[in-house]
Amino acid sequence: MGKRRTERGQGLLELAVILPVLLILLIGLVEIGFALRDYLVVVNACREGCRFAARERFTLSDVHDRVVSAGGTIRLREPLRDVPFLRTSSIEGLDPNTGVIVTDISTDYSGEPLTVTVRFFGAFPDGAKPISSTQIIDRHRPVTQEINAWRTDEGYEEVGNHIVMVEVFFMHHPLWNNPFVPLPDPIMMHAQTEMRAVGDV
């Protein structure tokens, strides 16, 4: 009888020692899952906005609206309503959590910029650094020159290029901040997508 009580007491002691570690691991897994889900939403919305912009038939405000709508909605309980997951402005008492930058660059036949338009929408966390238009142009200039060299060799006219970049900054708030593994609040997530549209200038 005494041996059974000793074993039971030992089991309870082991559970008491290991339970906090298991709870922290479980909460960490849930936190990572939510963060990954948020990041996938941000990346998908960024790509969808850039695909939309590359059609060259819409304003930069329309591109912003497409990014926000591609992020989907979340349902709040009190009062019951659906609000955008990616918010670039305050909505019904909720603070903005997203910043969107749309860069539209038109280049000539040699890849030199003709027009550069940059629009900022929403809220940007501290330390958010957008990609400079100079970097985008420098990255695409050799490709534009290569395309036009090939077109000239094949007997086609040279063409200018249109480059569109969409950047999305999202502020992910951790579900639970614990003293053992302190996390920054908010955690800044950043996604960028760029596309080229070839056409006459």
Side-chain angles (χ1 to χ4, degrees), residues 60 79 119 130 136 179 184:
L60 300 187
R119 287 283 307 274
I136 302 169

Side-chain angles (χ1 to χ4, degrees), residues 76-177:
L76 301 180
R77 293 180 182 267
E78 295 180 8
L80 187 64
R81 66 200 191 276
D82 291 336
V83 297
F85 178 72
L86 303 176
R87 297 181 302 278
T88 55
S89 59
S90 297
I91 298 175
E92 301 175 17
L94 296 174
D95 292 332
N97 62 2
T98 305
V100 177
I101 303 172
V102 184
T103 305
D104 184 23
I105 301 169
S106 178
T107 67
D108 64 11
Y109 312 129
S110 63
E112 294 302 319
L114 295 173
T115 61
V116 178
T117 308
V118 182
R119 287 283 307 274
F120 292 80
F121 303 91
F124 296 90
D126 294 336
K129 295 180 72 176
I131 307 255
S132 74
S133 56
T134 305
Q135 287 178 308
I136 302 169
I137 293 164
D138 289 345
R139 189 165 50 242
H140 283 271
R141 184 181 291 114
V143 180
T144 301
Q145 293 170 353
E146 186 180 328
I147 289 170
N148 282 318
W150 177 85
R151 289 179 65 88
T152 301
D153 291 343
E154 296 296 319
Y156 297 106
E157 294 180 5
E158 292 182 313
V159 293
N161 281 271
H162 217 72
I163 305 161
V164 177
M165 172 171 272
V166 177
E167 295 179 78
V168 179
F169 292 86
F170 176 73
M171 292 178 275
H172 169 77
H173 295 280
L175 297 173
W176 181 65
N177 242 332

